Every structure is written in structure tokens, then in C-alpha cells.
């Protein structure tokens, strides 16, 4: 890769930024340069004494570097020795008539009117003296960014590449250079007619300019801004140097100035060239707007980005739909993708990205932006594809020309791409591949012993260990993952990322109060941390603190539409605010002691929240059964309301059962959550739906009451103790006590096994009823449940559960008999929290000494509108 440096001599008292502007657009004077190169005497007679001779040196750069590096022009200063591997090229330039031109600021924008730059020269004659530069090498050259045109302190140096025999001693020259900037050098003893010559006093070869096209119109040029038109010979034409400089300026942060210069030279730049530079200008506006979005939390954070989006959309409308503009349109679509994703307009980002032809060059920024958009829209498979493509481009040995314009300033790094890839894989339950991504991140990190406190690798190490801990939690190694996060917190106690990861894991385990306290503590130290505030909102919803959740939703408003954590909270909050319909269906066949066939449906419709904590609902139960003593059906409807505020939940319902023996009744329930582990509930029902079906055939009704004490330790273990009692209208009093416990015994990625032990006993005061009512019975069961996460795509998932039951049943008067059963269940989660669960099972059980074999089926559907 070749990097061009410019040294020019202009009158003193002119700033370096003005010098750079003056030398750039100089006009070509071919005949005087050609004549002057024949001899030193001829040059002395032909050159204008008021026009200094300008030299330009091109130093060879590292051809393997993906991004050009700015470097000062080599001089005779002992502190900056010339590179041994550099192949310098010296150009002799004769400055001619001055033309006024505006200066440029370090941001690439035109300077104010009161800032007057020295008048530039016309296009110079670039006469290579040594080692001509080939077009394919120069195509990768970089130009200085606008900030490098600032005046710098001068330093004394003697140019080593100019033979002293041409112009006398050059030891008193003044050199002014910065990386990638122009340099001023004026030999003290130089005469107006002197000119540098090659060793051996051989005159240099001068390349004559090509004839202009007929009519003065510029010929079409390649669309790629870094691939200027090639000359017929190995020596580039003067216009090629102008094109290279302007395009390099455009890709290095100076697109505004480059656009002005391109428009001022219609003989050099075609309309396609101008469109390419204008696209780079928009790209840099998008980059600046995105940086502002990331750095601010106020409501005006999108002002600059919205302006860039508007300009990009208008420019897209103006672009002709002809083939020569195809690459410009593709690059502009990439810019719009980045802008829309940063703005939170994810559907627009995807739509813009999908207009790019499949084989077009796409920047890493655009690929990462649409990857974030796909993840946001719960399409992780598509996100994985674009993140992998971005990773390939970031790790490729060849330069990524599509990303030019982003290498100066904040841009996407390889670890950013891999983090996005990691989450897209975990959102598909591809944990083996996600672990490989973590290994790639770790392998790319420098040795810890070589990392300094100020290195960015410190943050990269922190990010790696945070992702590793999250991965361990995802695959069920919860204790190991939390221990890793705890160790990180001890090393960086005020890191909001680590503390938020701890709180997220705690919330996922069901310890909502602890998670809420952790989010609150993080916000105390980082009041503007958006992820912590979103986490506090989610924990508030889980705890029933809906007023606080509503305040957080109002605080977010539409200020952070691009943030994934905010999106998750807003999705949960919208689901809470939505009306909900729940339908439960179940049926059984073959258990003749209870019923030959039975079917029941239970439907509940909830209203949106009223004053945050109140809801009203409508409830309808319908059941049908045919038995050996007759058929029956039961319908009961009711309306009620519930109150959910923090740890307390109250429900009350007025009911009416239909038919000739219908009754008016009511039911209610109260529950209280003492802490993250312990809760209790109690309820009553004056017209119960839980009587045996043969009791309803006999037109009986019953009252019931129940109470329970529950213990839950995340998803690892749980226990419950319950008591239920029912009084039937025939004076039968039924009681039941049950104790159950569940323990996680095996965990791996996507699968786990729980084992439950259930113990229960029941009694009835009437033993000779027409319905099944044993005087005393006992049940002991062991249930093993295997869960397998078959498929997942973002919030959409399919989980399979398989239950195996084995135990013993003892009925007073009939002895003990074994029981066994099995069932399989699928649980679907669709978009917008729509859930569907269904299953089938079989059970072998003895009743009154007679074994029954029955089949069951059930389904539950929950739909938030």
C-alpha cells in the first residue's frame, strides 16, 4: 500500500492548513516543466522566480495493513530516519497562478468566511523521477484526515532525496509535518531557476498529460472510489493523482471538502464519482449521528441521526436507477441500514439491507447493524448469518474497502461482532457453537501479563468473562456462572455490566426481590444506566409493583427504541397491559369408576389493568360426562375482579351454575409472597366444580376450601404442603392432605431432569355413596420429568416434557396396589407471549380393587391481545 505525502514551498507566514489547500488544485503547465527538465540553465531561464518549486515524496507503506496509516514525510532529520524498506518517489512540481479557495475545518466542513486560505496553485505537473507508482498499488492509498491540516510546530531538516548538486545546500530548509499532512520545505540557497536532478545528471522522464475528451466532457470512470481510471502506461496521468487524493480524502473523514473539490473539477470527476463522494459524506454523517446516539441519554439524542437519515432518503430518491449507479445505491443502502438500526427503526433497517444485491460489497457496520435489527425482531437465524459474514470480513487478510469511511472514529470491532454472534446463537439454543465463539474471543485477547491498565484489552477481558458466566448460566451451570460474576464484581466492583449480568441471572432464577435490589444499587452508582433501569422495570412487573413499572415505561417513552433491554421491558409491560384470554381443555376416557368419558373446558377473559392494580374478568366452566348411572353436564359462569399489588393478590368472583339445580354462589382466594422463597395461599368456593361426576348426576353440590404453603428455590427445587376440604350436600365431608417436593438432578445444555416425590392421603365420612368416596386412602408417587428444549428462535420456542410416574396406592379395605403412568407434553411459545401447551398420557390405577386403564388429553392456550 502506498501512502502519498506532500511537501510544498509557499510564502512564509502562511499556515500549514492553507499550504495543503493551496497545493492541491494547482493547474498543469506541461511545456515549461518539460523544457525546464532538459538542463539546470533552461530551468533557471524558464521558471517564474515568484513561483517556488514543489516536491512530493511517496513512501511505501505496509502492503498487508488493512487500513492505511498516516506517517510523516521522511526528511534528513536524524530523529526520523528514512525507512530502509521504503521506495521513495520524488515529483517535481512547478507552481503557477493562484486561485482563491475556502479552507476546511478539522471536521471536514467548510471554514467560516472570515477564515481565508492562501490561494492554491493550478494542477501541477507530476513528473516521477524514481520508481513510478502503479495504479493498483495507489488504489489502496490513504489521505490525511481534515484534522491533520492543522498548523504544527516546524522542525529543521534536510531532505535526503534531493541531490545537492541541483540546488545547492539544503541544510537550512524548514520542514513542517504531521502524520498524513503536507510539509513545507524551502532550501535557503535555492535559486528560482534551479531544479532537482537524478544522480548521474540524467534528466528525469516526464509523463505528458492525455488529451481531453471530445467536447470537454469527462469520460465514465470506475464506480469504486478507490480504483481510479488506469492510464495506458504505468505512469499515472495528472488527473489520476487528483482523483486519488480526493477519494482518499473522502474515505478518511473529509468527504465534505472532497465533494466540493470534485464538483469544482467536472473535467476529472464524472457524475458517478460525485455521487460516490456524496454517499461517503452521508456515511460520515451517519457515523457522527450514531456516535451521538450512543453517547447521550437525552431526548434530542437522535437529532443528528434523523438529519442524516433524511438526507440519505432524499439522495436515494435522486439517484438514477441505471447500472452505473448500482454500487452507489448498494453502499447507500448500507448507510441507511446502519442509520435505521441506530435509530431503532429495525423493520426499515432490514428492508434497506434486503435491497442490496447479494454479491455487492457490504460494510461490517451495515452487517452488524442489520444483525442487531434481526436479533431485535426475534429472527436470530438471520442475525447469525450476517454476524458470521461480518466476522469473516473483520478477520480477512485483504482490506475491507466497503468499510472505508468508518475506520476513523468509533467503529465496530471484532469483539462487538462476536458478541452479537454469541447472543444470536444462544437465542437458538446453539450452545456448542456459542462456546466456540467464546473460545475465539479468548484466543484473540493478548496475554494478560502484557495488558496495561489503559489498554482496551481490559474491557475486552471483562466482556469475555461476563459472556462466559452468562453462558454457564444458560447451560444450567448456575452456581458456576454466578461465582464467576461474583469474582468479576470483586475485581471491578463498580462495573455496571457485571452488576446487570448478576441481576439478570438472579431475576431469571425467580429471586425477584433480590434482583430488584441489585438493579436499584446499580442505578445508585450509574443513574443513567439504561439496562439497569429496564431490569428494574422487569422486576417490578414480576413483583406486582405496576405503578413503578408504569413510571419506568413513561421515563423511557420513545427515547431508546434501539436498546434491546428497553425493548424486552416494553414487551413485558405491553403484555401486562393487554387483555388476556386463557382457555383450558381436558378429557379422559376409560376410567369407569369416575366416568366412562369426561370433558371439561375453563375459559377466563381478563381486562386490561385498571388503576394499575385492578382487573375484572369473566369466567365460564363447562363440563360433560357419561357414566354407568347416567349422563350429566355442568355449566357455571361468573364475573369478578382481582387486585395485585406487590406481594398481595386478592381474587373474588360471583358465580351462577345453570340448569334446574343451578345455584348462585361465589369464590375467592388470597395469596401472599413473604419473600423470594416462601408464599402462602387460601381460598373458598361455595359452589365447587371439583366434585366427582357421579355426584353431579345425583344433583349434588358442594362447598370447598383449601390452603397451601409453598417453597421455591429458583428452578432447582421446590416444595408444597396443602390441605383441602369439601362438604357435599349429602353431608359427606371430604378431606385431603398432600406433600410434594421436586429436585433438579441433571442439567445440560437444552435438557434437564427433575424428580418429584408426592405423598397424599384422603378421607370421606360416607363410604357407600354412588360416587367414588373411599373411607381412607394413601398415595405415594415418584415422578421423573425430562425436559428438552427442541427449538428456539428468539422469544419463540418449543419445549418437550416427558413424565414417568410410578408408585403405590392403598385403599382401606382393598389393600395396596401399584400404579404407573406416562405422559408427553409440548409447550409452544409464540410471538407476543402467546403460549400453547398440550399433552396426552396414560394411567393404570386401582379403584375399589378394580384396576382401570385410562387415557387423558389436555391443552391450555393463553393469548394476550
Amino acid at each position: 500500500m502506498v501512502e502519498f505525502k506532500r511537501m510544498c514551498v509557499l510564502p512564509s507566514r502562511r499556515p500549514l492548513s492553507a499550504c495543503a489547500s493551496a497545493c492541491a488544485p494547482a493547474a498543469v503547465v506541461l511545456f515549461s516543466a518539460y523544457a525546464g527538465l532538459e538542463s539546470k540553465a533552461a530551468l533557471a531561464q524558464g521558471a517564474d522566480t515568484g513561483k517556488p518549486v514543489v516536491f512530493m515524496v511517496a513512501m511505501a507503506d505496509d502492503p498487508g495493513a488493512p487500513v492505511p496509516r498516516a506517517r510523516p514525510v521522511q526528511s534528513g532529520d536524524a530523529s526520523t530516519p528514512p525507512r530502509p524498506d521504503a521506495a521513495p518517489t520524488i515529483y517535481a512540481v512547478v507552481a503557477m497562478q493562484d486561485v482563491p479557495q475556502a479552507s476546511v475545518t478539522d471536521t471536514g466542513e467548510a471554514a467560516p468566511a472570515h477564515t481565508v486560505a492562501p490561494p492554491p496553485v493550478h494542477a501541477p505537473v507530476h513528473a516521477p523521477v524514481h520508481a513510478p507508482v502503479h495504479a493498483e498499488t495507489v488504489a489502496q492509498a490513504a489521505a490525511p484526515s481534515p484534522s491533520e491540516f492543522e498548523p504544527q510546530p516546524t522542525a529543521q531538516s534536510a531532505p535526503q532525496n534531493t541531490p545537492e548538486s541541483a540546488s545547492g545546500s539544503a541544510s537550512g530548509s524548514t520542514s513542517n509535518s504531521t502524520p498524513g499532512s503536507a510539509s513545507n520545505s524551502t532550501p535557503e540557497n535555492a535559486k528560482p531557476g534551479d531544479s532537482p536532478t537524478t544522480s548521474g545528471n540524467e534528466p528525469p522522464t516526464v509523463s505528458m498529460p492525455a488529451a481531453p475528451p471530445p467536447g470537454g466532457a469527462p469520460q465514465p470512470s470506475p464506480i469504486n472510489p478507490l480504483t481510479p481510471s488506469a492510464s495506458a502506461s504505468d505512469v499515472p496521468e495528472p488527473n489520476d493523482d487528483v482523483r486519488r487524493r480526493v477519494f482518499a480524502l473522502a474515505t478518511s473523514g473529509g468527504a465534505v471538502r472532497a465533494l466540493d473539490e470534485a464538483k469544482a473539477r467536472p473535467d476529472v470527476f464524472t457524475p458517478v464519482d460525485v455521487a460516490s463522494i456524496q454517499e461517503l459524506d452521508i456515511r460520515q454523517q451517519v457515523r457522527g449521528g450514531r456516535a451521538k446516539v450512543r453517547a447521550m441519554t437525552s431526548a434530542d439524542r437522535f437529532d443528528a441521526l434523523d438529519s442524516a437519515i433524511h438526507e440519505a432518503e432524499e439522495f436515494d430518491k435522486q439517484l438514477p436507477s441505471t447500472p452505473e449507479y448500482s454500487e452507489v445505491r448498494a453502499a447507500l443502502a448500507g448507510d441507511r441500514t446502519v442509520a435505521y438500526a441506530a435509530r431503532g427503526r429495525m423493520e426499515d433497517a432490514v428492508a434497506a439491507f434486503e435491497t442490496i444485491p447479494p454479491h455487492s460489497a457490504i460494510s461490517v457496520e451495515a452487517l452488524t447493524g442489520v444483525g442487531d435489527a434481526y436479533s431485535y425482531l426475534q429472527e436470530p437465524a438471520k442475525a447469525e448469518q450476517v454476524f458470521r459474514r461480518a466476522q469473516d470480513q473483520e478477520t480477512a487478510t485483504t482490506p475491507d474497502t466497503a468499510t472505508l469511511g468508518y475506520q476513523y472514529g468509533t467503529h465496530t470491532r471484532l469483539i462487538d461482532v462476536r458478541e452479537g454472534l454469541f447472543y444470536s446463537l444462544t437465542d437458538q439454543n446453539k450452545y456448542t457453537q456459542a462456546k466456540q465463539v467464546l473460545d475465539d474471543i479468548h484466543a484473540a485477547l493478548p496475554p494478560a501479563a502484557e495488558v496495561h491498565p489503559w489498554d482496551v484489552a481490559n474491557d475486552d477481558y471483562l466482556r469475555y468473562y461476563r459472556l462466559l458466566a452468562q453462558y454457564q448460566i444458560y447451560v444450567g451451570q448456575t452456581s458456576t456462572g454466578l461465582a464467576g460474576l461474583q469474582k468479576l464484581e470483586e475485581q471491578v466492583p463498580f462495573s455496571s455490566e457485571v452488576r446487570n449480568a448478576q441481576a439478570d441471572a438472579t431475576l431469571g432464577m425467580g429471586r425477584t426481590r433480590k434482583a430488584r435490589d441489585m438493579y436499584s444499587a446499580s442505578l445508585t452508582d450509574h443513574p443513567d444506566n439504561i439496562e439497569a433501569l429496564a431490569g428494574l422495570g422487569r422486576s417490578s412487573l414480576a413483583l406486582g409493583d405496576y405503578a413503578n413499572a408504569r413510571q419506568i415505561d413513561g421515563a423511557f417513552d420513545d427515547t431508546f427504541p434501539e436498546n434491546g433491554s428497553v425493548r424486552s421491558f416494553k414487551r413485558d409491560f405491553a403484555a401486562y397491559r393487554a387483555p388476556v384470554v386463557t382457555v383450558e381443555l381436558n378429557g379422559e376416557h376409560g376410567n369407569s369408576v369416575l366416568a366412562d368419558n369426561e370433558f371439561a373446558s375453563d375459559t377466563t377473559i381478563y381486562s386490561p389493568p385498571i388503576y394499575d392494580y385492578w382487573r375484572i374478568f369473566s369466567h365460564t366452566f363447562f363440563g360433560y360426562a357419561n357414566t354407568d348411572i347416567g349422563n350429566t353436564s355442568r355449566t357455571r359462569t361468573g364475573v369478578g375482579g382481582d387486585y395485585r399489588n406487590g406481594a398481595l393478590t386478592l381474587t373474588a368472583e360471583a358465580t351462577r351454575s345453570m340448569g334446574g339445580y343451578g345455584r348462585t354462589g361465589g369464590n375467592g382466594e388470597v395469596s401472599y409472597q413473604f419473600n423470594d422463597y416462601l408464599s402462602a395461599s387460601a381460598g373458598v368456593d361455595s359452589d365447587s366444580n371439583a366434585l366427582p361426576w357421579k355426584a353431579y348426576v345425583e344433583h349434588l353440590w358442594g362447598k370447598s376450601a383449601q390452603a397451601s404453603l409453598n417453597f421455591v428455590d429458583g428452578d432447582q427445587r421446590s416444595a408444597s404442603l396443602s390441605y383441602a376440604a369439601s362438604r357435599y350436600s349429602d353431608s359427606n365431608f371430604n378431606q385431603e392432605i398432600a406433600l410434594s417436593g421436586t429436585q433438579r438432578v441433571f442439567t445440560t445444555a437444552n435438557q434437564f431432569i427433575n424428580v418429584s416425590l408426592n405423598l397424599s392421603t384422603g378421607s370421606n365420612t360416607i363410604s357407600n355413596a354412588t360416587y367414588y368416596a373411599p373411607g381412607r386412602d394413601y398415595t405415594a408417587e415418584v415422578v421423573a420429568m425430562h425436559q428438552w428444549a427442541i427449538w428456539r428462535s428468539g422469544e419463540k420456542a418449543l419445549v418437550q416434557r416427558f413424565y414417568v410416574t410410578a408408585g403405590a396406592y392403598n385403599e382401606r379395605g382393598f389393600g395396596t396396589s401399584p400404579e404407573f403412568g406416562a405422559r408427553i407434553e409440548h409447550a409452544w411459545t409464540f410471538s407476543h407471549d402467546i403460549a400453547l401447551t398440550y399433552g396426552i398420557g396414560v394411567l393404570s390405577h386401582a379403584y375399589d380393587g378394580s384396576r382401570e386403564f385410562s387415557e387423558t388429553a389436555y391443552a391450555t392456550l393463553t393469548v394476550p391481545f
Side-chain angles (χ1 to χ4, degrees):
M1 174 179 306
V2 179
E3 189 173 276
F4 286 92
K5 311 295 180 184
R6 186 181 299 274
M7 295 193 305
C8 58
V9 178
L10 289 176
S12 60
R13 298 182 183 178
R14 293 186 177 183
L16 181 58
S17 61
C19 173
S21 300
C23 296
V28 178
V29 184
L30 298 174
F31 295 102
S32 60
Y34 182 79
L37 290 173
E38 292 296 329
S39 67
K40 288 189 270 186
L43 180 61
Q45 294 175 2
D48 187 351
T49 59
K51 305 299 178 183
V53 176
V54 183
F55 301 92
M56 183 169 75
V57 180
M59 302 298 297
D61 204 349
D62 180 9
V67 177
R69 295 195 302 271
R71 188 176 290 108
V73 175
Q74 303 291 342
S75 67
D77 191 349
S79 63
T80 58
R83 289 172 42 200
D85 60 339
T89 302
I90 304 176
Y91 294 86
V93 180
V94 180
M96 296 301 293
Q97 181 179 357
D98 294 338
V99 179
Q101 180 173 321
S103 180
V104 69
T105 64
D106 59 350
T107 62
E109 299 178 355
H114 62 272
T115 304
V116 181
V121 296
H122 281 296
V125 175
H126 290 220
V129 180
H130 302 292
V133 182
H134 296 282
E136 60 269 17
T137 305
V138 179
Q140 300 176 359
S145 62
S147 60
E148 295 166 350
F149 288 93
E150 293 296 330
Q152 302 291 334
T154 60
Q156 299 296 327
S157 63
Q160 301 295 321
N161 299 327
T162 305
E164 294 183 359
S165 59
S167 56
S169 174
S171 61
S173 64
T174 301
S175 177
N176 198 6
S177 65
T178 60
S181 65
S183 301
N184 297 343
S185 178
T186 307
E188 286 184 345
N189 301 326
K191 297 179 182 181
D194 290 345
S195 173
T197 62
T198 62
S199 60
N201 296 327
E202 292 294 331
T205 303
V206 179
S207 176
M208 298 300 293
Q219 295 296 320
S221 61
I223 299 175
N224 188 342
L226 296 183
T227 310
S229 300
S231 174
S233 64
D234 289 340
V235 180
E237 297 179 358
N239 288 351
D240 290 340
D241 296 328
V242 176
R243 291 173 57 81
R244 280 192 295 270
R245 178 181 55 76
V246 170
F247 277 120
L249 178 64
T251 57
S252 61
V256 174
R257 176 173 177 176
L259 184 61
D260 292 339
E261 294 194 19
K263 290 180 177 179
R265 295 296 304 273
D267 58 321
V268 178
F269 297 94
T270 68
V272 176
D273 296 332
V274 175
S276 298
I277 298 175
Q278 189 168 353
E279 180 271 323
L280 289 170
D281 178 25
I282 293 174
R283 182 181 302 185
Q284 291 165 20
Q285 293 184 53
V286 169
R287 180 190 62 190
R290 185 182 63 173
K292 181 180 179 181
V293 168
R294 292 176 174 177
M296 297 179 62
T297 58
S298 57
D300 61 343
R301 58 199 294 262
F302 291 114
D303 290 353
L305 189 60
D306 286 340
S307 176
I309 290 174
H310 175 73
E311 185 167 342
E313 291 174 342
E314 292 300 318
F315 183 54
D316 182 62
K317 296 176 183 177
Q318 298 170 5
L319 276 178
S321 58
T322 53
E324 61 268 22
Y325 286 92
S326 60
E327 291 189 20
V328 181
R329 289 195 301 271
L332 182 63
D335 301 336
R336 293 168 60 200
T337 298
V338 175
Y340 289 141
R343 186 61 176 86
R345 296 167 56 179
M346 301 307 182
E347 294 86 354
D348 294 335
V350 170
F353 175 79
E354 292 179 349
T355 63
I356 302 176
H359 302 293
S360 296
I362 306 175
S363 69
V364 171
E365 304 294 324
L367 291 171
T368 306
V370 78
D372 292 338
Y374 279 130
S375 296
Y376 189 100
L377 297 174
Q378 303 297 314
E379 296 185 78
K382 294 182 178 180
E384 177 191 353
Q385 293 178 4
V386 294
F387 278 130
R388 288 195 183 279
R389 181 175 176 182
Q391 178 181 245
D392 293 342
Q393 290 186 202
E394 281 282 272
T395 55
T397 57
T398 57
D400 179 17
T401 58
T403 307
L404 286 175
Y406 286 106
Q407 73 271 39
Y408 295 90
T410 302
H411 63 282
T412 301
R413 301 170 56 230
L414 179 58
I415 193 172
D416 301 327
V417 176
R418 285 175 169 162
E419 182 176 8
L421 178 59
F422 171 81
Y423 285 122
S424 69
L425 292 171
T426 58
D427 284 345
Q428 301 176 78
N429 288 345
K430 296 181 178 180
Y431 294 113
T432 302
Q433 298 179 40
K435 183 61 170 62
Q436 181 59 52
V437 173
L438 291 179
D439 293 341
D440 293 339
I441 293 176
H442 187 263
L445 294 172
E450 300 177 7
V451 178
H452 300 93
W454 55 84
D455 291 341
V456 70
N458 280 293
D459 294 335
D460 294 346
Y461 265 103
L462 174 63
R463 193 187 309 192
Y464 165 73
Y465 283 114
R466 174 176 57 83
L467 293 176
L468 178 61
Q470 290 177 307
Y471 166 81
Q472 292 168 336
I473 294 172
Y474 293 159
V475 299
Q477 303 173 11
T478 307
S479 301
T480 304
L482 289 176
L485 290 175
Q486 181 63 34
K487 184 178 180 180
L488 281 180
E489 186 186 19
E490 293 172 358
Q491 295 176 351
V492 279
F494 294 102
S495 171
S496 60
E497 292 185 2
V498 174
R499 297 170 76 173
N500 290 340
Q502 285 181 302
D504 290 343
T506 303
L507 181 61
M509 296 170 60
R511 300 174 184 174
T512 52
R513 284 169 174 75
K514 184 177 181 181
R516 177 195 58 190
D517 296 340
M518 296 173 71
Y519 287 125
S520 298
S522 181
L523 284 170
T524 301
D525 296 326
H526 307 277
D528 293 333
N529 189 273
I530 305 305
E531 286 72 19
L533 187 59
L536 181 61
R538 294 198 307 272
S539 61
S540 297
L541 285 174
L543 288 171
D545 189 358
Y546 304 123
N548 189 46
R550 178 171 50 81
Q551 291 177 357
I552 293 173
D553 181 73
F556 283 139
D557 194 23
D558 294 327
T559 308
F560 305 96
E562 83 289 358
N563 189 284
S565 297
V566 175
R567 174 200 175 278
S568 296
F569 162 70
K570 283 187 166 289
R571 183 192 64 189
D572 294 344
F573 186 76
Y576 155 73
R577 296 288 302 176
V580 179
V581 174
T582 301
V583 180
E584 298 181 9
L585 306 173
N586 63 78
E588 185 174 7
H589 167 72
N591 195 350
S592 62
V593 173
L594 301 179
D596 293 332
N597 297 287
E598 62 176 275
F599 169 81
S601 68
D602 208 338
T603 304
T604 306
I605 302 177
Y606 284 93
S607 74
I610 302 172
Y611 298 110
D612 293 326
Y613 302 108
W614 296 91
R615 289 178 187 260
I616 58 175
F617 62 85
S618 171
H619 179 207
T620 301
F621 171 85
F622 171 79
Y624 175 83
N626 52 16
T627 71
D628 56 359
I629 64 172
N631 301 332
T632 186
S633 64
R634 175 176 173 81
T635 302
R636 193 187 77 174
T637 62
V639 293
D642 65 18
Y643 175 79
R644 312 174 192 178
N645 188 352
L648 178 65
T649 300
L650 297 173
T651 301
E653 178 188 7
T655 64
R656 174 68 187 181
S657 55
M658 306 301 177
Y661 297 90
R663 293 178 54 82
T664 299
N667 60 76
E669 184 177 5
V670 56
S671 64
Y672 190 83
Q673 184 84 29
F674 297 100
N675 50 45
D676 286 336
Y677 303 95
L678 194 63
S679 65
S681 66
V684 296
D685 191 342
S686 66
D687 188 16
S688 176
N689 288 329
L691 273 63
W693 279 108
K694 290 183 179 182
Y696 291 119
V697 174
E698 297 292 334
H699 307 301
L700 300 179
W701 54 272
K703 303 176 182 178
S704 63
Q706 60 84 25
S708 65
L709 184 64
N710 308 295
F711 170 82
V712 177
D713 184 10
D715 58 355
Q716 296 298 306
R717 61 191 60 87
S718 63
S720 175
L721 174 64
S722 64
Y723 170 78
S726 300
R727 174 72 70 176
Y728 298 170
S729 59
D730 62 354
S731 74
N732 182 30
F733 184 61
N734 172 267
Q735 299 181 84
E736 183 177 357
I737 300 175
L739 174 65
S740 65
T742 301
Q743 174 65 50
R744 176 74 53 82
V745 296
F746 173 78
T747 302
T748 187
N750 302 327
Q751 300 182 63
F752 64 81
I753 296 177
N754 287 348
V755 174
S756 302
L757 176 63
N758 303 325
L759 302 174
S760 64
T761 182
S763 65
N764 291 274
T765 57
I766 297 179
S767 58
N768 58 350
T770 57
Y771 51 87
Y772 181 69
R776 172 68 64 178
D777 63 353
Y778 302 90
T779 302
E781 295 177 341
V782 175
V783 180
M785 187 273 287
H786 172 263
Q787 176 170 302
W788 174 28
I790 298 177
W791 170 80
R792 183 185 174 196
S793 179
E795 65 183 10
K796 295 173 286 187
L798 170 61
V799 174
Q800 176 180 282
R801 303 184 185 101
F802 186 70
Y803 298 81
V804 176
T805 302
Y809 176 72
N810 177 272
E811 182 180 354
R812 181 178 296 174
F814 293 95
T816 302
S817 61
E819 70 168 71
F820 54 88
R823 62 187 170 97
I824 186 172
E825 159 181 301
H826 285 168
W828 290 85
T829 303
F830 304 100
S831 299
H832 309 296
D833 294 323
I834 299 175
L836 172 64
T837 301
Y838 55 83
I840 57 174
V842 294
L843 178 65
S844 177
H845 192 286
Y847 300 93
D848 292 341
S850 176
R851 180 162 297 276
E852 298 282 356
F853 188 85
S854 61
E855 303 89 24
T856 60
Y858 58 93
T860 301
L861 175 65
T862 301
V863 181
F865 290 99

